[in-house]
Amino acid sequence: MPQELMYLTKEWRDEAERRLKNELTPEKMNFITSSMSNIYLNCPDGKNKYLFFKFVDGKLDTLALGEGEPPDAEFRISGDYQVFAMISRAELGSQKALMTGKLKLKGNMVKALKLAAIADRLNKVLSQIPAQY
Amino acid sequence: MTSRLENKGPYYIDFPGRIKAIQQEMAKEHIDVYLGSRLRTLSWTLDAFCPWRSFVVIPNEGMPAAFTFVIDAARVADESWLDEDHVFGFVPMGGQDQIELIAEHIKDLLKNKKGRIGVENGMSNYLPEGNLTHYEYERFKDALPDCEFVDAYTIIDKLSMIKDEGTINRFREASRIVDVGHKAVYEAISNGGWKGMTETEIAGLAAYAMRKEGSEWEWSYTGGNEIASGYRTGLAGGACTPATRKKLQAGEPLMVDIHAMFMLGLGDHSHNYLIEPVTDRQRWHAQNFLDIVNLTLKTYRAGITPSLLAEQMMAFAEERGFADYMVPGFEHGIGMMGDEWRIGLNDGPFPFWTNPDHVYQENELIICAMQYACPQDNIGFRYENPIVIHKDGCEPLSKYPLTIDEIQ
């Protein structure tokens, strides 16, 4: 059994970056140029964290993990750490989390709709990282 | 519908210029953000038809942003002069419902999250008007607790009252299309063609002819093309006749009130028929109506008011002995899609109704609208035609001949 990494640690981020670069080709990412920040509220250590993704022409350019205010991004998804954890464990769909208000999206919904399938591909890769929450 | 690529040549409207004019008026009233919700405001600022609940947010400088139901947002972005970065779709999702999405957008505009927001309060007898609802107002106030909300619709009403050349040309083209629709109806019902036809069929064949000419839809909320025959033409005080399945009958009048839309410019013209055999009494009614329409068209000019015109026309009708059959109103307001009914500003004795003492100015556009109804004789006629007010007269945009045709 592969080693489980602590969710949202530097080790988890590094593994996420490796997998995203290996598994999501520019073709699979529709050659998009866009950015997104996931904002994790009420993390187990009591802090708020972010995970910032930037893709340029379909290639992962930046994956940044941090605390406090994230860099400016085209889309900003915020919610409780536990909600993101449930999504990562496939216990909750990201669409349902948005439709029930558990997650909040800031950004242009028309553009977001175009990127919905891509976001699902990205989430699927992240959900396959063995992790502890 | 309208395409941004068509906003050129005779139909060109300077939409960025309109936004700048709004922003100048906002500055005079110390308004930081204008939150428009009326259909007339959306058409006038976006150049796109917005059939779903929609809003336009105009900052005190820079580009406006449109917000509509997500299922229609991409089309609005495609047709409007705004780019897709300035058209947002709302959905029932966290952060994306219309109140939160717009409130967050406004907060981003008001960097210190305080400001004065102009809204479109009010009421209308035109159902799709789109004033901000009480519920929406309360929710926006909750979402923007440090903002002051003020009525600001007069800014749009004032700026949109006098029509520019592009707007008038769009109305001219819509009227040309309506005239084609009338010709199609005439050809279809002539020489016994009317036999077995229903009002809905007349509405449909006019619609088909107008759509072939490029009409976007039969825009009127009164049921699209309004067709009435027989006693329905003479309903007392009636000026709203959605077509029914009633069949046309010999010896009856027929009223054909059809509507076309071209780039949010509206065609609205009513033509009348008598199906043979025609009685002398019917001809008497018909001549009365033609005479008063002709006189009305000769009377419209800059400087006259709705009440002054009505007084003169009703005096004429009284003198001729048909005042009992006239609806004592001779016009309704019109503008780009969604701007219907009220004329001028909201400055009359009855809030949100036409001020009877409104003084017409050059390049105002109204619908000359007249209704004649004699229920006891089961007869009535309607005239409608967009007219441009000029200094010394008016320009009827539909050129269809003013007659009451007798059909075999």
Side-chain angles (χ1 to χ4, degrees), chain A residues 1-13 15 40 43-45 49 81-82 84-86 88-89 91 126-133:
Chain A
M1 188 176 169
Q3 186 192 352
E4 289 187 337
L5 303 170
M6 275 307 287
Y7 187 50
L8 296 187
T9 58
K10 182 178 180 305
E11 293 73 29
W12 183 90
R13 188 216 79 89
E15 179 63 13
Y40 304 79
C43 292
D45 60 3
K49 293 186 178 176
Y81 170 91
Q82 290 302 338
F84 280 106
M86 286 171 76
S88 287
R89 292 193 300 258
E91 295 167 6
L126 297 183
S127 71
Q128 287 167 350
I129 301 172
Q132 286 181 16
Y133 298 91

Side-chain angles (χ1 to χ4, degrees), chain B residues 161-218:
Chain B
M161 191 164 69
I162 305 299
K163 305 302 190 272
D164 51 59
E165 193 63 18
T167 302
I168 292 171
N169 283 335
R170 291 178 183 201
F171 273 77
R172 283 195 177 103
E173 176 61 7
S175 289
R176 184 196 69 76
I177 292 171
V178 161
D179 290 353
V180 173
H182 277 307
K183 188 164 178 284
V185 170
Y186 177 79
E187 288 169 358
I189 66 175
S190 295
N191 303 314
W194 60 269
K195 289 176 186 170
M197 273 193 186
T198 60
E199 293 174 2
T200 51
E201 196 174 348
I202 304 268
L205 66 91
Y208 181 52
M210 293 191 293
R211 292 240 175 185
K212 281 200 289 187
E213 289 293 309
S215 172
E216 293 145 7
W217 70 313
E218 301 71 60

Side-chain angles (χ1 to χ4, degrees), chain B residues 43-82:
Chain B
S43 293
W44 200 77
T45 56
L46 304 178
D47 202 17
F49 176 49
C50 298
W52 298 94
R53 185 53 163 161
S54 304
F55 301 86
V56 59
V57 174
I58 305 171
N60 54 15
E61 58 180 20
M63 289 275 282
F67 297 80
T68 190
F69 184 20
V70 73
I71 64 161
D72 201 23
R75 180 194 62 83
V76 169
D78 184 52
E79 297 185 4
S80 164
W81 65 279
L82 299 180

Side-chain angles (χ1 to χ4, degrees), chain A residues 51-95:
Chain A
L51 190 61
F52 170 79
F53 305 79
K54 183 177 177 187
F55 285 86
V56 176
D57 298 329
K59 285 184 187 167
L60 182 66
D61 177 85
T62 310
L63 181 64
L65 178 67
E67 292 178 3
E69 194 61 23
D72 281 345
E74 189 172 17
F75 300 101
R76 183 181 164 118
I77 299 176
S78 58
D80 205 84
Y81 170 91
Q82 290 302 338
V83 173
F84 280 106
M86 286 171 76
I87 292 168
S88 287
R89 292 193 300 258
E91 295 167 6
L92 175 67
S94 55
Q95 291 287 325

Side-chain angles (χ1 to χ4, degrees), chain A residues 74 94-95 97-114, chain B residues 70 73-74 84-96 100-101 104-105 108:
Chain A
E74 189 172 17
S94 55
Q95 291 287 325
L98 282 164
M99 290 171 79
T100 52
K102 290 186 170 72
L103 288 183
K104 281 190 179 182
L105 168 68
K106 190 166 183 183
N108 190 320
M109 193 66 206
V110 180
K111 289 184 176 178
L113 284 175
K114 293 180 192 169
Chain B
V70 73
E84 67 172 357
D85 287 335
H86 290 87
V87 180
F88 297 86
F90 47 75
V91 283
M93 282 187 175
Q96 291 290 320
E100 186 165 0
L101 183 65
E104 288 298 314
H105 182 84
D108 287 346

Side-chain angles (χ1 to χ4, degrees), chain B residues 1 11 25-26 71 129 131 146 169 172 283 306 366:
Chain B
M1 294 292 169
Y11 309 121
E25 294 300 314
M26 286 166 61
I71 64 161
E129 183 80 6
N131 294 107
D146 296 323
N169 283 335
R172 283 195 177 103
R283 287 198 180 99
I366 61 169

